[in-house]
Amino acid sequence: MGILHRDIRSSSDVPLVCRACEARHGGVCAALSPEQLSELSRRSTRHRLDAGTEVVGQGESMERYSNIVRGVVKLTKVMADGRQQIVGLQFAPDFLGRLFLSESAVAAEAATDTEICSFSRGTLDQLVTRTPELGEKLHRQALKELDEARDWMLTLGRKSAQEKVASFLHLIAVNIDPENDSTASFDLPLSRADIADFLGLTIETVSRQFTRLRKENVIRLVNNRQVTVPDMALLTRLAGND
Amino acid sequence: MGILHRDIRSSSDVPLVCRACEARHGGVCAALSPEQLSELSRRSTRHRLDAGTEVVGQGESMERYSNIVRGVVKLTKVMADGRQQIVGLQFAPDFLGRLFLSESAVAAEAATDTEICSFSRGTLDQLVTRTPELGEKLHRQALKELDEARDWMLTLGRKSAQEKVASFLHLIAVNIDPENDSTASFDLPLSRADIADFLGLTIETVSRQFTRLRKENVIRLVNNRQVTVPDMALLTRLAGND
DNA sequence: CGCAGGTTTGAGGTAGATCAATGTCAGTGG
DNA sequence: CCACTGACATTGATCTACCTCAAACCTGCG
């Protein structure tokens, strides 16, 4: 009875919003105790962002951190003359922000309709000092992002246009439709223009590679955004990841 | 007298090799107390690596971590068909290793003659749990490397060959000859082939851009490796960083 | 001297950029 | 219901930056 009671109490300590949160178990929140979770939820606010909404601008000060609850956020860099490069995609339940630095070196923009849960730098700093687990979790994500960035450097520097587009489709398939590994079906979170900026290509080249992959039955397009991949192994091979 | 005595004792607690170490103040060692430093030095070994020596191979297990004491280490990725991309350069006093993962996603190779100070995973893990400062230091370096990787993604994806070579020279100037910011003079740590692999170009294109920059008096070459930059601001502009 | 590794230079080819037109589709309003 | 609009995507024709292939050129070294 005592134990049962404790279970109920401890479960109800987890804030309602968090219990319903799709990002609760994968993200940084997973490192927090129910008490800390309830404290964080009290000090944090939920936001809906329409596709295209900017979260932070390049070089802007970043006084708030966020968790992505739903959707995809793109990280971009722009040169003075307007040339643009997407340097990372973040999926739920990723943490969004740059620890130890108040200026953001990239702009963050919702690529799809997105929900985030955001809180102040101070709130996070407090939680981190009290919970080393949390610091480690953030450290792990940083290293994961570093690995991904370096993978993408190989894609940008050494792959052909077709391999680049295949690599992009592979990346999205793995992150959006991870259940099945022999087949995949998903909605692209990016427009052709965004894909071009992610791959270091032009819109036209991206489009041509899409039609080429379609004609070679590597992908099927139900519309511009919805893609199905009948044979993921084939896509992987075309992406140059052996 | 008492204080003087303490000063001497505490300074002599720092191991001799560490006191003479050029990397002592910038690297992770800076986060350690004299006692911890002496423990680490007891459990670590100094190595000289000739240029070209591999530290770890891509996909190999990495049971040892290192600090770079002197020299430059390149991190590379290779595709199945041999295409290669350098995804990062590490300078003294950087930490070398991938926390939380035993398989390395990249190969690490000494680009120049290099000295490292290496120790086992277990040794570092122990120090990290006892010294949160140290964990934070490593976290900071990971984020710095992430920022650098993303900067380089812009270079790879969106810059012309000339801008790429200028960006490379700028990077080296900043890391090897940081004293002066209006002028620079340094030895290139990489061969033309390595530079090509870093920039996603061919050797020939790199070479042509070098001669072009030389003819336009942006750089002077005393030999293939020694470069002087009379006007760093001009180089910065050519690199597209405004 | 002659050879080897790295670098430069040249001539020609090509993947992807650029420029321009056309197509698709969801709104919106008559 | 159809015409009109605007955002996006596709397709085609041409151009060019960079690649490829090949030869010549250092510079040090047995």
Side-chain angles (χ1 to χ4, degrees), chain B residues 54-111:
Chain B
E54 193 173 78
V55 185
V56 256
Q58 188 173 349
E60 264 182 39
S61 99
M62 249 251 199
E63 74 293 344
R64 308 212 104 224
Y65 295 128
S66 311
N67 284 318
I68 303 174
V69 174
R70 189 177 55 80
V72 179
V73 173
K74 59 183 188 191
L75 307 178
T76 67
K77 282 185 164 267
V78 196
M79 292 175 65
D81 62 6
R83 278 175 288 175
Q84 202 163 358
Q85 176 70 43
I86 294 183
V87 298
L89 290 182
Q90 313 251 135
F91 301 86
D94 285 350
F95 170 81
L96 197 61
R98 172 59 163 89
L99 256 47
F100 310 126
L101 218 63
S102 47
E103 295 260 306
S104 174
V106 300
E109 180 181 319

Side-chain angles (χ1 to χ4, degrees), chain B residues 177-195:
Chain B
D177 183 8
E179 291 80 33
N180 208 324
D181 62 347
S182 68
T183 242
S185 185
F186 48 87
D187 262 42
L188 293 175
L190 302 186
S191 67
R192 298 290 185 273
D194 282 339
I195 298 171

Side-chain angles (χ1 to χ4, degrees), chain A:
Chain A
M1 260 289 255
I3 284 165
L4 182 61
H5 185 244
R6 263 174 57 115
D7 282 347
I8 289 168
R9 210 182 49 74
S10 129
S11 140
S12 64
D13 278 355
V14 174
L16 267 168
V17 274
C18 295
R19 267 187 282 169
C21 178
E22 306 158 53
R24 166 145 157 53
H25 295 289
V28 292
C29 297
L32 300 175
S33 69
E35 293 75 35
Q36 292 175 317
L37 206 54
S38 106
E39 184 187 335
L40 180 59
S41 104
R42 253 184 290 115
R43 302 216 210 158
S44 69
T45 54
R46 265 297 184 85
H47 299 277
R48 268 202 85 260
L49 306 174
D50 290 331
T53 310
E54 192 172 79
V55 185
V56 254
Q58 189 174 348
E60 265 183 39
S61 98
M62 251 250 196
E63 73 294 345
R64 308 214 104 221
Y65 295 130
S66 310
N67 284 319
I68 303 174
V69 174
R70 190 177 54 79
V72 180
V73 173
K74 60 184 187 186
L75 307 179
T76 67
K77 280 184 165 271
V78 196
M79 292 174 66
D81 62 6
R83 279 176 287 175
Q84 204 163 354
Q85 175 71 44
I86 294 183
V87 296
L89 289 182
Q90 314 249 151
F91 300 87
D94 286 350
F95 171 80
L96 196 61
R98 172 60 163 90
L99 255 47
F100 310 124
L101 218 63
S102 46
E103 294 259 305
S104 174
V106 300
E109 182 181 317
T112 62
D113 289 356
T114 296
E115 265 179 87
I116 62 175
C117 187
S118 78
F119 37 87
S120 74
R121 173 178 296 271
T123 299
L124 186 74
D125 287 350
Q126 270 181 258
L127 280 172
V128 168
T129 46
R130 271 187 286 150
T131 319
E133 255 284 293
L134 180 56
E136 183 182 312
K137 195 114 192 170
L138 292 167
H139 192 166
R140 278 176 191 275
Q141 180 179 327
L143 287 168
K144 194 195 75 183
E145 283 177 38
L146 181 57
D147 289 344
E148 289 166 357
R150 287 176 171 164
D151 269 347
W152 211 249
M153 285 172 71
L154 178 62
T155 300
L156 290 173
R158 288 305 186 194
K159 291 188 187 173
S160 69
Q162 179 170 36
E163 289 171 322
K164 283 180 175 184
V165 171
S167 297
F168 169 73
L169 291 168
H170 181 79
L171 176 74
I172 300 301
V174 166
N175 280 283
I176 304 277
D177 184 7
E179 290 80 35
N180 208 324
D181 60 348
S182 68
T183 242
S185 185
F186 49 87
D187 263 42
L188 293 175
L190 301 186
S191 67
R192 296 293 185 273
D194 282 338
I195 297 171
D197 282 342
F198 194 28
L199 295 172
L201 298 170
T202 58
I203 299 177
E204 294 93 327
T205 299
V206 170
S207 180
R208 282 185 243 272
Q209 297 305 328
F210 265 89
T211 68
R212 182 172 168 195
L213 290 173
R214 182 168 46 70
K215 283 180 181 162
E216 290 171 355
N217 296 313
V218 180
I219 56 173
R220 310 200 71 223
L221 295 172
V222 342
N223 64 39
N224 284 338
R225 292 290 188 127
Q226 274 182 65
V227 180
T228 69
V229 182
D231 181 359
M232 278 298 286
L234 174 58
L235 186 67
T236 306
R237 195 149 48 69
L238 289 177
N241 308 332
D242 280 332

Side-chain angles (χ1 to χ4, degrees), chain B residues 159-167 199 201 205-206 209 212:
Chain B
K159 291 188 186 173
S160 69
Q162 180 170 38
E163 289 171 321
K164 283 180 174 183
V165 171
S167 296
L199 295 172
L201 298 170
T205 300
V206 170
Q209 296 306 326
R212 183 173 168 195

